[in-house]
Amino acid sequence: FVERLRRILQIAIPNAKSATSFNLLALTLLLFARTSTTMRISNVLSQAVRSLVERDRKSFIRYVFNFALLGIPGESASFVGSLIVYGSAIINALIKFCSDRLAVDMTSKLVNYAQDRYLQGLNAYRILNLRTQHQLKDVDQRITQDISQWSETSVRLYSNLTKPTEIGRAHV
């Protein structure tokens, strides 16, 4: 399994200087940036909860107000809060864009490879013969759809597995 996966990834991401590699790096950096903004918001919330548990009303009101400022972009909010709100929206949009772009890049490379293999020798005729014997329809379309689904799923899996976490962090 691992050897097959490695071979597929070599086809999908041919080298470190390819556009696909750049998209993968950009996606990784964006995932780290999103985690950073999430941690900032989490810090404000944990401070509010801590002050609530300690029954410190002044601190609680201050932290709730700070949290509210994070959610209100504009002139009345703090500059950092506005950056976090706008930054989070931009980062999430860029993550979606990079994920989709990476999936399309991988799909196109894998489909081109499969088509080259399909058209090599008598493979196309063998598949055509299988289609008539076993009543398989649209074999080439099925291959393309499977490759597309695999690419999208692998990018989603990568995004979910590479979400950085802060190890050893004390919560509330």
Side-chain angles (χ1 to χ4, degrees):
F1 171 77
V2 174
E3 183 59 32
R4 288 181 183 173
L5 180 62
R6 187 184 66 75
R7 179 70 181 124
I8 290 171
L9 289 175
Q10 282 179 337
I11 296 166
I13 306 170
N15 60 46
K17 294 181 180 180
S18 67
T20 310
S21 296
F22 176 75
N23 284 332
L24 185 62
L25 176 65
L27 178 61
T28 304
L29 293 174
L30 287 167
L31 289 169
F32 275 96
R34 180 172 64 184
T35 299
S36 175
T37 58
T38 302
M39 294 306 295
R40 169 91 171 135
I41 292 170
S42 176
N43 284 339
V44 172
L45 283 174
S46 66
Q47 290 169 347
V49 169
R50 184 180 301 122
S51 63
L52 182 65
V53 169
E54 294 173 354
R55 296 182 179 186
D56 183 359
R57 283 187 176 169
K58 286 183 181 180
S59 294
F60 177 71
I61 291 170
R62 184 177 75 234
Y63 290 127
V64 168
F65 182 72
N66 285 342
F67 180 72
L69 286 179
L70 288 177
I72 304 172
E75 296 172 16
S76 63
S78 69
F79 178 70
V80 174
S82 296
L83 282 179
I84 289 174
V85 170
Y86 291 131
S88 295
I90 291 170
I91 288 170
N92 285 331
L94 286 172
I95 286 173
K96 174 76 170 119
F97 174 77
C98 283
S99 296
D100 291 347
R101 179 71 190 260
L102 183 60
V104 167
D105 286 350
M106 290 173 65
T107 299
S108 67
K109 285 180 176 36
L110 291 169
V111 165
N112 287 340
Y113 178 81
Q115 285 177 345
D116 289 345
R117 296 290 302 247
Y118 178 73
L119 295 175
Q120 197 175 52
L122 300 174
N123 291 338
Y125 297 109
R126 288 182 189 138
I127 291 174
L128 184 62
N129 190 28
L130 277 175
R131 186 169 59 184
T132 57
Q133 286 178 354
H134 301 288
Q135 297 179 356
L136 295 174
K137 296 180 182 176
D138 304 325
V139 175
D140 51 348
Q141 181 64 30
R142 287 181 183 192
I143 292 171
T144 302
Q145 285 177 340
D146 286 348
I147 289 172
S148 180
Q149 279 182 328
W150 184 89
S151 297
E152 291 168 6
T153 302
S154 63
V155 169
R156 240 183 291 127
L157 179 65
Y158 177 78
S159 294
N160 288 332
L161 291 177
T162 57
K163 286 181 182 173
T165 59
E166 196 169 0
I167 299 173
R169 179 182 166 80
H171 293 285
V172 182

